[in-house]
Amino acid sequence: MTDARFMTAAITGASSGIGHALALALARPGATLHLAGRNEARLKDAADAARAKGATVRETLLDVRDVVATAVWINEAGRLDLVVANAGVSGGTGGGAGMFGEPTAQARAIFDINVTGVLNTALPAIELMRGQEPGPDGMRGRVAVIASIAAFLNMPGAPAYCASKAAIQRWAEAVDLGEARRGVRVHAICPGFVRTPMTDTNPFPMPGLMTPDYAATRILKGIEAGQRRVAFPWFLYAGARAVSMIPEGLRFALLKKAPAKKADANLQ
Ligand SMILES: NC(=O)c1ccc[n+]([C@@H]2O[C@H](COP(=O)([O-])OP(=O)(O)OC[C@H]3O[C@@H](n4cnc5c(N)ncnc54)[C@H](OP(=O)(O)O)[C@@H]3O)[C@@H](O)[C@H]2O)c1
C-alpha cells in the first residue's frame, strides 16, 4: 500500500490463502486490521505476521454463517475503510467411486458460506459505511466481495460453486450502482486460479495460476482504481467471456468435457 487508504480493514477467511495474503498486503504501521477465520492456529499465524509488519490486529474466531456474530464483528470494529468478504469454500462433482453429481450437503454448504455468508458480512458493512465520514479517497468505505472468474461459466463439474460466485458477482455490481452515489463502493473481485489450499487438490491444469501475494496486490490495485469488477488474469477472463458467448448447445457440449473439481469431503 502506498498511501493513507485502507488504514482500517476487516477480512473474513484471513486464516488462509488469499485472505491471509490480503492481510499482509494491508499490514503496515498505523493500520488496524480485523481478521476473522475459523481455524485458531492459522488465524493466529496471519495475525502475528500482520503485527510483525507494524499493524494493530484484532483477531476473531468467526463462522460467517452466523448472521448475528458476523454483524457484531463488523459493528464492533469502529470505522472501516475496507471490508473484504473473502471466506469461501469450493467443491465439485469429481471424486469417489459411485458418486453421481454434486453431494447435496456440499451444494447447500457452498451456498450457505459463499452466498449467505458473504451477505452476512457485506450487508452490515454497507450499513455501517453509509454513516461514516468520507476518507482520503472521497469514499465513506469500500466492500470487496471475492467472487471468481467461475462466476462467468456454468461448469457441470462445479455447479454450486459457479452459481454461488455468479450470485455474489451480480449482487455486488448491482448494489454498487446504487451505493456509489452515497459514497460506498461495492467491488466484485473475480480472480482466476490462485495457489491456495482450495486449488491444491485440483486434478487439472490451471492456466495463469497465481501466488496469493500477486492476487492480493492485484485485488487492492483494482479496488484503489475504483473498478467495479476486478477480473484477472485478463486472458482467462476474456476466455470465460468468449465461452459464454458460444451458442448454448455447443457450449454445453464443450463444458461437459471439462474435468470436474473434486468434491470436498469436509462439506459432506
Ligand atoms: N484459490 C483460487 O483459485 C480462487 C479463485 C477465485 C476465487 N477464490 C475465492 O477466494 C476466497 C478465498 O479462497 P482461498 O483460495 O484463499 O481458499 P482457502 O485457502 O481455502 O481459504 C478459505 C478461507 O475461507 C475461510 N472459511 C471457509 N468457510 C468459512 C466459514 N464458514 N466461516 C468463516 N470462514 C470460512 C477459511 O477459514 P478456516 O480455514 O479458518 O476455516 C479460510 O480462511 C474464496 O471465496 C474463494 O472462492 C479463490
Side-chain angles (χ1 to χ4, degrees), residues 53-88:
K53 290 187 76 180
T56 299
V57 181
R58 167 185 170 234
E59 60 202 273
T60 306
L61 286 178
L62 177 74
D63 189 318
V64 294
R65 287 171 291 190
D66 186 334
V67 60
V68 174
T70 308
V72 167
W73 175 66
I74 292 284
N75 286 310
E76 285 184 347
R79 184 188 169 88
L80 285 171
D81 298 322
L82 174 67
V83 171
V84 188
N86 165 73

Side-chain angles (χ1 to χ4, degrees), residues 177-253:
L177 289 169
E179 290 299 328
R181 284 196 299 259
R182 307 191 210 208
V184 178
R185 296 296 312 273
V186 185
H187 304 266
I189 312 298
C190 304
F193 295 108
V194 184
R195 191 191 299 279
T196 70
M198 184 176 282
T199 50
D200 279 350
T201 55
N202 281 352
F204 46 78
M206 292 182 274
L209 184 65
M210 300 166 269
T211 64
D213 289 345
Y214 175 81
T217 304
R218 183 65 188 77
I219 289 167
L220 293 173
K221 220 168 148 185
I223 296 171
E224 283 188 281
Q227 292 170 7
R228 179 168 295 119
R229 178 183 301 171
V230 183
F232 58 96
W234 69 268
F235 63 87
L236 209 60
Y237 177 53
R241 297 318 309 261
V243 169
S244 69
M245 281 185 264
I246 297 173
E248 197 172 292
L250 178 58
R251 176 159 34 102
F252 277 101

Side-chain angles (χ1 to χ4, degrees), residues 110-124:
I110 287 176
F111 277 96
D112 281 350
I113 297 168
N114 294 8
V115 180
T116 308
V118 163
L119 295 183
N120 289 347
T121 310
L123 288 170

